[in-house]
Amino acid sequence: MTPTSAPTPTSLFGQRLAAVEERLRWLYLRYESGAPLDQPEHPDGYDDQDGPETDDDGHGSPDGPRAAPATPRWPDVEQLAELDGRGDRLARLACEFGLTERETDILLTCLLPEINPVCGTAFRFLSGQTSSRPTVAVALSTHGITVPEAIAAGLLRPGSSLFDAGLLAYEDPAEAFPDRLLHVPGRLVDFLAGRIGGPEAGGAAWLRRLPPHPEAAQGADPNRLAALHEALATDPGRTRYLRQGIRGEALPAAREALAARGLVPLLLDPDAFAAAGADTTPALLAERTALEARLLGAAVLMPVPPPGTAGPERVELLRGVAARLDAAPPPLLLYGAQPWSAYEWDAPLPDESDLRSTAARHPRDGLGAAASAAVERVHRGFALRAVTPAMPEVQAAARLRSAAELGALARHIEPAVGWQDLVLSAAVRRRLDMLVARVRHREKVFRHWGMRRGGGRGQGTAALFVGESGTGKTMAAEALAHELGLDLYVVSLPSIVSKYIGETEKNLERVFSAAETLDAVVLFDEADSMFAKRGEVKGSNDRHANMQSGYLLQRLEVFNGLAILTTNLRSNIDPAFTRRFDEVVHFESPGPDVRARLWRSLLGETAPDDLPVDVLAQSYDLAGGSIRACVESAAFEAAAADRQMTAEDLLAGIETEYTKLGRLFGRVG
């Protein structure tokens, strides 16, 4: 064997590696001369610091090597700490993992074939196996330790420091203990060689080291940030959950607090992590993550996906890894935009810190699940580039994701109808004006005047529109949205009700969360499908229905926007529910005067000169939606004939509408 040159001869790593290689050379020559492998001349090579008798070149006497070569003196605890402070990687390893001198040398023995192929050849010769890695027996014999002594001392056994930390592993754990092959993770070679970390240096591809940021934490509550600093100083090993808002306070605050403790912020990328988890287990992923964090002196930052935004497999993977990291030495900081209780994770149970400023904790600034996932992704990407994103960019990402989420459950309407297009009674118009006032002046009433609702209620408005089909309920909602400058989303309640327990509630939560982020008006159509009068609970279906309606009422109370529910028949709605609405607006079937106004409004300049509008309004009892359908039928009739609309066209349209309604039609005049 020809000794390899040490990576850095002056470093502790270089010195110990050279000594370990020399011990392997001694064992090789001794075994080649016929000495048994399992009977070292010195039971413990660490007891003889004088070394064997040697010739001038240090290769032993002419009769062959008789004892293990001398080993450099191992630093004491203070010296190791000093070397660690100066950046010595092996000293860092020994201090962090609490390795003894023997454990360190055995670890370096297993590292030899990764550095010098000649050492791999020696291991094959000594073990009689085809692998270049050492067996337990060979690794022990290199340092004059017998297998019984190792078992008694717990060396190279599961549960020892080397194995618990993931620094060593068996390739074939089913083999007899002396014949088990040992290997070290490739990351350890790069670390001891001085490479910082990351996938390009053999590190975990899902872990990203946050670069230093020129700015301090922005937007976080100063008192809560100070409390985080104190908590990390008092109990650095405790798992913590950092709640953030749209400003993404978690990463800047964590980076600042960790820097004060001399800890590196190591960010777990959940997307890359899920890809890596396809072929391994949470235990192995957690082990690799913990190893990387301990090597770098880091804390692990893990974003928690909001409920409903990640598949069950990914959630289970992250949950399993978090539970294992919670018990591991590196600090674990989880973060997200929801209260910790919303995630329904059994473990870990972290200390929760809400880092949002007082203003950001206002209900109207809350983020829905879909929006918070998009916002986290934006802040994560910018943090890795040491840049602070502009708020318009973050808000655009939140709105875009919320719009996609809401669009999957509701019909989007860009309001094009204004007050001037409505033909309503004065009483209905007054109630609609009050709804506008409730939305526009909620800040003044609830915040500035201090008229808080209490009981955890939000600052939104809930209204019930009651009236037969075609009386203008949806059109009034569109006009409201137009007046407020908001988008309108129409949700058919029967379409989101599920027979599976919990699914209806999840769909409703997605609707409300997205609507809050978009600050949109939400119209729930056919409310009587969920709010029907309750009778005696006779089975699980009745209990399920009551739970769904109860959840909708609860969510309406904490909603911070304008929610409108419609029903054709108020008599179908349980009176206990109607008391929960801020406004109940009755859309009556229009009388002759209102019908005349509707005819004139809808016809506009296309009305025939000889059309007796007042006669039509008096003779035909039609709701506004039906009058619109009559006008459209007449318009298409005239367009098909390439002429102006006539009174006959309108009468034909009325007849068609009466037929659709199942009513008898009689001509007037």
Side-chain angles (χ1 to χ4, degrees), residues 40 52 82 97 136 151 252 286 289 350 380 384 439 466 524 532 546 550 592 615:
E82 182 182 351
F97 296 98
V136 168
I151 294 175
T289 300
R380 189 190 338 143
L384 290 169
V439 174
V466 181
F524 293 96
N546 287 345
V615 175

Side-chain angles (χ1 to χ4, degrees), residues 372-499:
S372 62
V375 165
E376 189 281 322
R377 191 171 290 111
V378 170
H379 282 293
R380 189 190 338 143
F382 275 87
L384 290 169
R385 302 198 301 272
V387 178
T388 301
M391 282 308 298
E393 185 172 351
V394 178
Q395 291 166 340
R399 291 182 62 84
L400 185 64
R401 186 64 188 89
S402 296
E405 177 81 356
L406 192 52
L409 298 167
R411 178 167 54 94
H412 179 213
I413 296 177
E414 293 184 8
V417 174
W419 290 137
Q420 72 280 359
D421 300 308
L422 293 181
V423 180
L424 300 168
S425 67
V428 172
R429 178 57 188 272
R430 283 195 298 272
R431 303 273 44 91
L432 296 180
D433 286 339
M434 180 52 66
L435 284 174
V436 172
R438 282 179 175 273
V439 174
R440 285 180 173 167
H441 302 298
R442 57 188 169 187
E443 294 286 322
K444 178 187 293 185
V445 172
F446 291 129
R447 296 190 68 187
H448 301 158
W449 289 1
M451 295 186 180
R452 299 186 181 276
R453 298 184 175 192
R457 296 191 66 183
Q459 297 183 5
T461 300
L464 177 66
F465 286 3
V466 181
E468 293 181 1
S469 179
T471 52
K473 301 186 295 297
T474 302
M475 192 172 182
E478 185 176 349
L480 275 170
H482 184 274
E483 180 69 13
L484 294 167
L486 306 175
D487 283 349
L488 174 66
Y489 285 86
V490 180
V491 181
S492 174
L493 273 176
S495 69
I496 64 173
V497 172
S498 173
K499 64 180 180 180

